[in-house]
mmCIF file of all heavy atoms in Angstrom:
data_model
loop_
_atom_site.group_PDB
_atom_site.id
_atom_site.type_symbol
_atom_site.label_atom_id
_atom_site.label_comp_id
_atom_site.label_asym_id
_atom_site.label_seq_id
_atom_site.Cartn_x
_atom_site.Cartn_y
_atom_site.Cartn_z
ATOM 1 N N ALA A 1 84.298 38.713 85.513
ATOM 2 C CA ALA A 1 83.939 39.943 85.094
ATOM 3 C C ALA A 1 84.914 40.952 85.476
ATOM 4 O O ALA A 1 85.319 41.882 84.701
ATOM 5 C CB ALA A 1 82.492 40.433 85.638
ATOM 6 N N ALA A 2 85.389 40.883 86.551
ATOM 7 C CA ALA A 2 86.535 41.770 87.144
ATOM 8 C C ALA A 2 87.846 41.629 86.270
ATOM 9 O O ALA A 2 88.336 42.744 85.913
ATOM 10 C CB ALA A 2 86.796 41.530 88.580
ATOM 11 N N GLU A 3 88.203 40.493 85.976
ATOM 12 C CA GLU A 3 89.381 40.204 85.119
ATOM 13 C C GLU A 3 89.043 40.967 83.611
ATOM 14 O O GLU A 3 89.913 41.524 83.168
ATOM 15 C CB GLU A 3 89.626 38.764 84.877
ATOM 16 C CG GLU A 3 90.524 38.169 85.945
ATOM 17 C CD GLU A 3 90.867 36.758 85.681
ATOM 18 O OE1 GLU A 3 90.803 36.253 84.593
ATOM 19 O OE2 GLU A 3 91.037 35.985 86.793
ATOM 20 N N ARG A 4 87.850 40.588 83.136
ATOM 21 C CA ARG A 4 87.561 41.070 81.782
ATOM 22 C C ARG A 4 87.538 42.580 81.783
ATOM 23 O O ARG A 4 88.091 43.176 80.758
ATOM 24 C CB ARG A 4 86.218 40.542 81.510
ATOM 25 C CG ARG A 4 85.528 40.969 80.255
ATOM 26 C CD ARG A 4 86.279 40.910 78.962
ATOM 27 N NE ARG A 4 85.687 41.320 77.791
ATOM 28 C CZ ARG A 4 85.690 42.646 77.478
ATOM 29 N NH1 ARG A 4 86.429 43.547 78.038
ATOM 30 N NH2 ARG A 4 85.028 43.010 76.296
ATOM 31 N N PHE A 5 87.072 43.183 82.745
ATOM 32 C CA PHE A 5 87.060 44.767 82.793
ATOM 33 C C PHE A 5 88.211 45.479 83.420
ATOM 34 O O PHE A 5 88.180 46.577 83.655
ATOM 35 C CB PHE A 5 85.669 45.280 83.288
ATOM 36 C CG PHE A 5 84.586 44.903 82.237
ATOM 37 C CD1 PHE A 5 83.851 43.659 82.425
ATOM 38 C CD2 PHE A 5 84.189 45.803 81.309
ATOM 39 C CE1 PHE A 5 82.768 43.459 81.647
ATOM 40 C CE2 PHE A 5 83.132 45.561 80.549
ATOM 41 C CZ PHE A 5 82.432 44.355 80.649
ATOM 42 N N GLN A 6 89.097 44.654 83.922
ATOM 43 C CA GLN A 6 90.299 44.941 84.527
ATOM 44 C C GLN A 6 90.043 45.955 85.773
ATOM 45 O O GLN A 6 90.719 47.007 85.884
ATOM 46 C CB GLN A 6 91.342 45.791 83.554
ATOM 47 C CG GLN A 6 91.727 44.908 82.421
ATOM 48 C CD GLN A 6 92.564 45.632 81.392
ATOM 49 O OE1 GLN A 6 92.608 46.851 81.448
ATOM 50 N NE2 GLN A 6 93.175 44.880 80.496
ATOM 51 N N VAL A 7 89.223 45.383 86.667
ATOM 52 C CA VAL A 7 88.944 45.950 88.029
ATOM 53 C C VAL A 7 89.106 44.996 89.052
ATOM 54 O O VAL A 7 89.154 43.739 88.720
ATOM 55 C CB VAL A 7 87.510 46.691 88.019
ATOM 56 C CG1 VAL A 7 87.555 47.857 86.948
ATOM 57 C CG2 VAL A 7 86.412 45.781 87.807
ATOM 58 N N SER A 8 88.981 45.387 90.243
ATOM 59 C CA SER A 8 88.938 44.423 91.351
ATOM 60 C C SER A 8 87.703 43.755 91.509
ATOM 61 O O SER A 8 86.589 44.327 91.132
ATOM 62 C CB SER A 8 89.359 45.105 92.683
ATOM 63 O OG SER A 8 88.300 46.033 93.082
ATOM 64 N N PRO A 9 87.721 42.560 92.117
ATOM 65 C CA PRO A 9 86.299 41.895 92.294
ATOM 66 C C PRO A 9 85.315 42.756 93.236
ATOM 67 O O PRO A 9 84.235 42.727 93.125
ATOM 68 C CB PRO A 9 86.749 40.646 93.008
ATOM 69 C CG PRO A 9 88.118 40.284 92.509
ATOM 70 C CD PRO A 9 88.701 41.612 92.393
ATOM 71 N N THR A 10 86.008 43.413 94.177
ATOM 72 C CA THR A 10 85.279 44.288 95.117
ATOM 73 C C THR A 10 84.508 45.432 94.300
ATOM 74 O O THR A 10 83.258 45.612 94.527
ATOM 75 C CB THR A 10 86.177 44.976 96.090
ATOM 76 O OG1 THR A 10 86.872 44.043 96.776
ATOM 77 C CG2 THR A 10 85.455 45.794 97.131
ATOM 78 N N MET A 11 85.237 45.992 93.347
ATOM 79 C CA MET A 11 84.548 47.120 92.642
ATOM 80 C C MET A 11 83.506 46.390 91.585
ATOM 81 O O MET A 11 82.315 46.990 91.390
ATOM 82 C CB MET A 11 85.562 47.743 91.687
ATOM 83 C CG MET A 11 86.385 48.707 92.420
ATOM 84 S SD MET A 11 85.576 49.876 93.532
ATOM 85 C CE MET A 11 84.583 50.848 92.239
ATOM 86 N N ALA A 12 83.835 45.242 91.096
ATOM 87 C CA ALA A 12 82.815 44.541 90.264
ATOM 88 C C ALA A 12 81.466 44.224 91.034
ATOM 89 O O ALA A 12 80.258 44.468 90.521
ATOM 90 C CB ALA A 12 83.353 43.172 89.702
ATOM 91 N N LYS A 13 81.630 43.801 92.321
ATOM 92 C CA LYS A 13 80.488 43.451 93.107
ATOM 93 C C LYS A 13 79.849 44.895 93.524
ATOM 94 O O LYS A 13 78.422 44.832 93.422
ATOM 95 C CB LYS A 13 80.901 42.828 94.457
ATOM 96 C CG LYS A 13 79.705 42.569 95.478
ATOM 97 C CD LYS A 13 80.194 41.803 96.628
ATOM 98 C CE LYS A 13 79.164 41.437 97.661
ATOM 99 N NZ LYS A 13 77.890 42.135 97.500
ATOM 100 N N ARG A 14 80.461 45.857 93.727
ATOM 101 C CA ARG A 14 79.841 47.202 94.106
ATOM 102 C C ARG A 14 79.010 47.589 92.756
ATOM 103 O O ARG A 14 77.718 48.080 93.061
ATOM 104 C CB ARG A 14 80.891 48.280 94.316
ATOM 105 C CG ARG A 14 80.282 49.660 94.588
ATOM 106 C CD ARG A 14 81.364 50.622 94.978
ATOM 107 N NE ARG A 14 81.872 50.224 96.216
ATOM 108 C CZ ARG A 14 83.044 50.760 96.590
ATOM 109 N NH1 ARG A 14 83.802 51.494 95.896
ATOM 110 N NH2 ARG A 14 83.672 50.221 97.762
ATOM 111 N N TRP A 15 79.381 47.509 91.637
ATOM 112 C CA TRP A 15 78.625 48.005 90.542
ATOM 113 C C TRP A 15 77.462 47.012 90.251
ATOM 114 O O TRP A 15 76.560 47.417 89.861
ATOM 115 C CB TRP A 15 79.532 48.125 89.163
ATOM 116 C CG TRP A 15 80.640 49.345 89.447
ATOM 117 C CD1 TRP A 15 80.414 50.385 90.224
ATOM 118 C CD2 TRP A 15 81.930 49.373 88.904
ATOM 119 N NE1 TRP A 15 81.533 51.120 90.183
ATOM 120 C CE2 TRP A 15 82.331 50.666 89.218
ATOM 121 C CE3 TRP A 15 82.478 48.578 87.997
ATOM 122 C CZ2 TRP A 15 83.699 50.980 88.927
ATOM 123 C CZ3 TRP A 15 83.796 49.033 87.651
ATOM 124 C CH2 TRP A 15 84.278 50.261 87.979
ATOM 125 N N ALA A 16 77.697 45.782 90.422
ATOM 126 C CA ALA A 16 76.567 44.841 90.161
ATOM 127 C C ALA A 16 75.535 45.034 91.219
ATOM 128 O O ALA A 16 74.315 45.073 90.878
ATOM 129 C CB ALA A 16 77.189 43.303 90.337
ATOM 130 N N ASP A 17 75.908 45.251 92.503
ATOM 131 C CA ASP A 17 74.968 45.595 93.533
ATOM 132 C C ASP A 17 74.068 46.869 93.218
ATOM 133 O O ASP A 17 72.940 46.977 93.426
ATOM 134 C CB ASP A 17 75.559 45.685 94.930
ATOM 135 C CG ASP A 17 76.084 44.283 95.443
ATOM 136 O OD1 ASP A 17 75.631 43.243 94.844
ATOM 137 O OD2 ASP A 17 76.753 44.250 96.371
ATOM 138 N N ARG A 18 74.933 47.851 92.819
ATOM 139 C CA ARG A 18 74.173 49.186 92.443
ATOM 140 C C ARG A 18 73.261 48.853 91.217
ATOM 141 O O ARG A 18 72.079 49.521 91.291
ATOM 142 C CB ARG A 18 75.162 50.234 92.041
ATOM 143 C CG ARG A 18 75.887 50.878 93.222
ATOM 144 C CD ARG A 18 76.629 52.067 92.717
ATOM 145 N NE ARG A 18 77.707 52.488 93.566
ATOM 146 C CZ ARG A 18 78.503 53.523 93.336
ATOM 147 N NH1 ARG A 18 78.422 54.104 92.114
ATOM 148 N NH2 ARG A 18 79.296 53.891 94.254
ATOM 149 N N TYR A 19 73.628 48.096 90.326
ATOM 150 C CA TYR A 19 72.762 47.762 89.090
ATOM 151 C C TYR A 19 71.464 47.025 89.555
ATOM 152 O O TYR A 19 70.426 47.459 89.065
ATOM 153 C CB TYR A 19 73.593 46.960 88.167
ATOM 154 C CG TYR A 19 72.762 46.784 86.834
ATOM 155 C CD1 TYR A 19 72.480 47.804 85.933
ATOM 156 C CD2 TYR A 19 72.379 45.542 86.513
ATOM 157 C CE1 TYR A 19 71.752 47.470 84.844
ATOM 158 C CE2 TYR A 19 71.624 45.226 85.424
ATOM 159 C CZ TYR A 19 71.253 46.116 84.509
ATOM 160 O OH TYR A 19 70.546 45.788 83.477
ATOM 161 N N ARG A 20 71.683 46.119 90.409
ATOM 162 C CA ARG A 20 70.457 45.486 90.992
ATOM 163 C C ARG A 20 69.539 46.369 91.674
ATOM 164 O O ARG A 20 68.307 46.307 91.520
ATOM 165 C CB ARG A 20 70.918 44.329 91.802
ATOM 166 C CG ARG A 20 71.499 43.180 91.284
ATOM 167 C CD ARG A 20 71.692 41.988 92.290
ATOM 168 N NE ARG A 20 72.567 40.959 91.624
ATOM 169 C CZ ARG A 20 73.872 40.693 91.863
ATOM 170 N NH1 ARG A 20 74.527 41.614 92.679
ATOM 171 N NH2 ARG A 20 74.526 39.821 91.353
ATOM 172 N N ALA A 21 70.081 47.271 92.521
ATOM 173 C CA ALA A 21 69.327 48.159 93.381
ATOM 174 C C ALA A 21 68.630 49.378 92.490
ATOM 175 O O ALA A 21 67.561 49.667 92.671
ATOM 176 C CB ALA A 21 69.990 48.737 94.371
ATOM 177 N N GLU A 22 69.490 49.977 91.642
ATOM 178 C CA GLU A 22 69.084 51.184 91.007
ATOM 179 C C GLU A 22 69.020 51.122 89.585
ATOM 180 O O GLU A 22 68.617 52.132 88.861
ATOM 181 C CB GLU A 22 70.013 52.326 91.333
ATOM 182 C CG GLU A 22 70.119 52.411 92.860
ATOM 183 C CD GLU A 22 71.275 53.417 93.238
ATOM 184 O OE1 GLU A 22 71.534 54.450 92.369
ATOM 185 O OE2 GLU A 22 71.977 53.280 94.272
ATOM 186 N N GLY A 23 69.308 49.972 88.904
ATOM 187 C CA GLY A 23 69.426 49.961 87.403
ATOM 188 C C GLY A 23 70.495 50.723 86.837
ATOM 189 O O GLY A 23 71.504 51.057 87.458
ATOM 190 N N PRO A 24 70.394 51.181 85.584
ATOM 191 C CA PRO A 24 71.394 51.971 84.944
ATOM 192 C C PRO A 24 71.756 53.308 85.616
ATOM 193 O O PRO A 24 72.906 53.753 85.548
ATOM 194 C CB PRO A 24 70.849 52.176 83.517
ATOM 195 C CG PRO A 24 69.933 51.032 83.263
ATOM 196 C CD PRO A 24 69.384 50.758 84.638
ATOM 197 N N ALA A 25 70.848 53.833 86.273
ATOM 198 C CA ALA A 25 71.117 55.121 87.041
ATOM 199 C C ALA A 25 72.073 54.941 88.148
ATOM 200 O O ALA A 25 72.743 55.989 88.603
ATOM 201 C CB ALA A 25 69.786 55.552 87.662
ATOM 202 N N GLY A 26 72.261 53.710 88.642
ATOM 203 C CA GLY A 26 73.374 53.486 89.708
ATOM 204 C C GLY A 26 74.737 53.614 89.298
ATOM 205 O O GLY A 26 75.694 53.476 90.123
ATOM 206 N N MET A 27 74.883 53.698 87.864
ATOM 207 C CA MET A 27 76.270 53.589 87.421
ATOM 208 C C MET A 27 77.066 54.912 87.402
ATOM 209 O O MET A 27 78.168 55.186 87.094
ATOM 210 C CB MET A 27 76.468 52.992 86.001
ATOM 211 C CG MET A 27 75.749 51.616 85.913
ATOM 212 S SD MET A 27 76.759 50.362 86.783
ATOM 213 C CE MET A 27 75.656 50.219 88.166
ATOM 214 N N VAL A 28 76.300 56.027 87.714
ATOM 215 C CA VAL A 28 76.785 57.375 87.586
ATOM 216 C C VAL A 28 77.897 57.582 88.784
ATOM 217 O O VAL A 28 77.771 56.905 89.868
ATOM 218 C CB VAL A 28 75.752 58.584 87.689
ATOM 219 C CG1 VAL A 28 74.793 58.379 86.481
ATOM 220 C CG2 VAL A 28 74.991 58.402 89.008
ATOM 221 N N ASP A 29 78.752 58.606 88.658
ATOM 222 C CA ASP A 29 79.785 58.985 89.661
ATOM 223 C C ASP A 29 79.021 59.483 90.701
ATOM 224 O O ASP A 29 77.959 60.272 90.634
ATOM 225 C CB ASP A 29 80.747 59.930 89.090
ATOM 226 C CG ASP A 29 81.747 59.356 88.155
ATOM 227 O OD1 ASP A 29 81.934 58.081 88.269
ATOM 228 O OD2 ASP A 29 82.287 60.036 87.316
ATOM 229 N N ARG A 30 79.442 59.302 91.956
ATOM 230 C CA ARG A 30 79.025 59.664 93.315
ATOM 231 C C ARG A 30 79.896 60.488 93.990
ATOM 232 O O ARG A 30 81.126 60.272 93.833
ATOM 233 C CB ARG A 30 78.415 58.585 94.088
ATOM 234 C CG ARG A 30 77.186 57.755 93.516
ATOM 235 C CD ARG A 30 76.697 56.616 94.452
ATOM 236 N NE ARG A 30 75.484 56.087 93.890
ATOM 237 C CZ ARG A 30 74.938 55.094 94.558
ATOM 238 N NH1 ARG A 30 75.398 54.679 95.583
ATOM 239 N NH2 ARG A 30 74.051 54.594 93.922
ATOM 240 N N SER A 31 79.508 61.442 94.733
ATOM 241 C CA SER A 31 80.396 62.295 95.480
ATOM 242 C C SER A 31 80.972 61.423 96.533
ATOM 243 O O SER A 31 80.424 60.622 97.189
ATOM 244 C CB SER A 31 79.573 63.523 96.175
ATOM 245 O OG SER A 31 80.340 64.226 97.030
ATOM 246 N N SER A 32 82.264 61.962 96.886
ATOM 247 C CA SER A 32 82.963 61.147 97.911
ATOM 248 C C SER A 32 82.914 61.977 99.192
ATOM 249 O O SER A 32 83.548 61.542 100.231
ATOM 250 C CB SER A 32 84.474 61.025 97.535
ATOM 251 O OG SER A 32 85.135 62.160 97.257
ATOM 252 N N ARG A 33 82.149 63.057 99.199
ATOM 253 C CA ARG A 33 81.963 63.887 100.371
ATOM 254 C C ARG A 33 81.278 63.112 101.416
ATOM 255 O O ARG A 33 80.136 62.472 101.188
ATOM 256 C CB ARG A 33 81.269 65.161 100.052
ATOM 257 C CG ARG A 33 81.117 66.118 101.212
ATOM 258 C CD ARG A 33 80.576 67.404 100.700
ATOM 259 N NE ARG A 33 80.318 68.313 101.844
ATOM 260 C CZ ARG A 33 79.870 69.510 101.667
ATOM 261 N NH1 ARG A 33 79.469 69.951 100.516
ATOM 262 N NH2 ARG A 33 79.760 70.313 102.793
ATOM 263 N N PRO A 34 81.601 63.074 102.729
ATOM 264 C CA PRO A 34 80.840 62.381 103.698
ATOM 265 C C PRO A 34 79.408 63.084 103.861
ATOM 266 O O PRO A 34 79.278 64.279 103.849
ATOM 267 C CB PRO A 34 81.720 62.636 104.976
ATOM 268 C CG PRO A 34 82.584 63.653 104.752
ATOM 269 C CD PRO A 34 82.767 63.787 103.318
ATOM 270 N N ARG A 35 78.484 62.168 104.338
ATOM 271 C CA ARG A 35 77.144 62.709 104.528
ATOM 272 C C ARG A 35 77.150 63.420 105.701
ATOM 273 O O ARG A 35 76.333 64.457 105.883
ATOM 274 C CB ARG A 35 76.196 61.519 104.568
ATOM 275 C CG ARG A 35 75.965 60.917 103.313
ATOM 276 C CD ARG A 35 74.933 59.810 103.296
ATOM 277 N NE ARG A 35 74.785 59.110 101.988
ATOM 278 C CZ ARG A 35 75.435 58.152 101.554
ATOM 279 N NH1 ARG A 35 76.368 57.641 102.401
ATOM 280 N NH2 ARG A 35 75.367 57.646 100.437
ATOM 281 N N ARG A 36 77.997 63.162 106.741
ATOM 282 C CA ARG A 36 77.969 64.018 108.077
ATOM 283 C C ARG A 36 79.436 64.003 108.498
ATOM 284 O O ARG A 36 80.251 63.147 108.072
ATOM 285 C CB ARG A 36 77.020 63.399 109.038
ATOM 286 C CG ARG A 36 77.332 61.955 109.464
ATOM 287 C CD ARG A 36 76.291 61.383 110.374
ATOM 288 N NE ARG A 36 76.749 60.181 110.980
ATOM 289 C CZ ARG A 36 77.543 60.101 112.189
ATOM 290 N NH1 ARG A 36 77.728 61.257 112.835
ATOM 291 N NH2 ARG A 36 77.894 58.939 112.715
ATOM 292 N N SER A 37 79.708 64.887 109.417
ATOM 293 C CA SER A 37 81.038 65.052 109.859
ATOM 294 C C SER A 37 81.029 64.961 111.471
ATOM 295 O O SER A 37 80.942 66.133 112.049
ATOM 296 C CB SER A 37 81.696 66.331 109.436
ATOM 297 O OG SER A 37 81.785 66.399 107.969
ATOM 298 N N PRO A 38 81.015 63.924 112.099
ATOM 299 C CA PRO A 38 80.953 63.855 113.545
ATOM 300 C C PRO A 38 82.124 64.567 114.111
ATOM 301 O O PRO A 38 82.019 64.832 115.489
ATOM 302 C CB PRO A 38 80.887 62.331 113.827
ATOM 303 C CG PRO A 38 81.511 61.652 112.663
ATOM 304 C CD PRO A 38 81.210 62.468 111.446
ATOM 305 N N ARG A 39 83.187 64.599 113.583
ATOM 306 C CA ARG A 39 84.428 65.200 114.223
ATOM 307 C C ARG A 39 84.600 66.677 113.809
ATOM 308 O O ARG A 39 85.782 67.190 113.978
ATOM 309 C CB ARG A 39 85.666 64.315 113.911
ATOM 310 C CG ARG A 39 85.508 63.029 114.465
ATOM 311 C CD ARG A 39 86.776 62.147 114.233
ATOM 312 N NE ARG A 39 88.018 62.827 114.627
ATOM 313 C CZ ARG A 39 88.852 62.448 115.380
ATOM 314 N NH1 ARG A 39 88.763 61.303 116.014
ATOM 315 N NH2 ARG A 39 89.980 63.124 115.750
ATOM 316 N N ARG A 40 83.713 67.293 113.175
ATOM 317 C CA ARG A 40 83.872 68.691 112.864
ATOM 318 C C ARG A 40 84.017 69.492 114.088
ATOM 319 O O ARG A 40 83.607 69.172 115.204
ATOM 320 C CB ARG A 40 82.573 69.264 112.112
ATOM 321 C CG ARG A 40 82.653 70.661 111.613
ATOM 322 C CD ARG A 40 81.628 71.038 110.853
ATOM 323 N NE ARG A 40 81.595 72.375 110.617
ATOM 324 C CZ ARG A 40 80.913 72.942 109.596
ATOM 325 N NH1 ARG A 40 80.100 72.366 108.846
ATOM 326 N NH2 ARG A 40 81.225 74.259 109.518
ATOM 327 N N THR A 41 84.794 70.661 113.970
ATOM 328 C CA THR A 41 85.133 71.494 115.094
ATOM 329 C C THR A 41 83.758 72.041 115.710
ATOM 330 O O THR A 41 82.935 72.569 115.033
ATOM 331 C CB THR A 41 85.882 72.687 114.522
ATOM 332 O OG1 THR A 41 87.046 72.206 113.777
ATOM 333 C CG2 THR A 41 86.499 73.574 115.753
ATOM 334 N N PRO A 42 83.720 71.973 117.044
ATOM 335 C CA PRO A 42 82.432 72.398 117.770
ATOM 336 C C PRO A 42 82.143 73.879 117.479
ATOM 337 O O PRO A 42 83.103 74.764 117.294
ATOM 338 C CB PRO A 42 82.660 72.154 119.184
ATOM 339 C CG PRO A 42 83.768 71.263 119.223
ATOM 340 C CD PRO A 42 84.592 71.416 117.979
ATOM 341 N N ALA A 43 80.886 74.301 117.308
ATOM 342 C CA ALA A 43 80.543 75.678 117.073
ATOM 343 C C ALA A 43 81.140 76.742 117.994
ATOM 344 O O ALA A 43 81.582 77.764 117.575
ATOM 345 C CB ALA A 43 79.003 75.776 116.934
ATOM 346 N N PRO A 44 81.189 76.444 119.399
ATOM 347 C CA PRO A 44 81.806 77.414 120.147
ATOM 348 C C PRO A 44 83.332 77.719 119.924
ATOM 349 O O PRO A 44 83.774 78.782 119.866
ATOM 350 C CB PRO A 44 81.665 76.917 121.591
ATOM 351 C CG PRO A 44 80.595 75.875 121.571
ATOM 352 C CD PRO A 44 80.648 75.402 120.113
ATOM 353 N N VAL A 45 83.893 76.615 119.441
ATOM 354 C CA VAL A 45 85.390 76.798 119.113
ATOM 355 C C VAL A 45 85.569 77.562 117.782
ATOM 356 O O VAL A 45 86.425 78.520 117.712
ATOM 357 C CB VAL A 45 86.082 75.408 118.994
ATOM 358 C CG1 VAL A 45 87.555 75.730 118.584
ATOM 359 C CG2 VAL A 45 86.125 74.700 120.304
#
C-alpha cells in the first residue's frame, strides 16, 4: 500500500491505525501543536 500510494510504510501504518480507531473521520489533518509545553518559561520569569 505504501508503494502504491508513494508514502513510507510508517505513514501507511499511521493512517491504517487511525482508520481502524476512528473511521473516515481519522483521515483529517491534525494540528502539530504540542498538547502541553513542559519546558515553557516559568511564570515568574
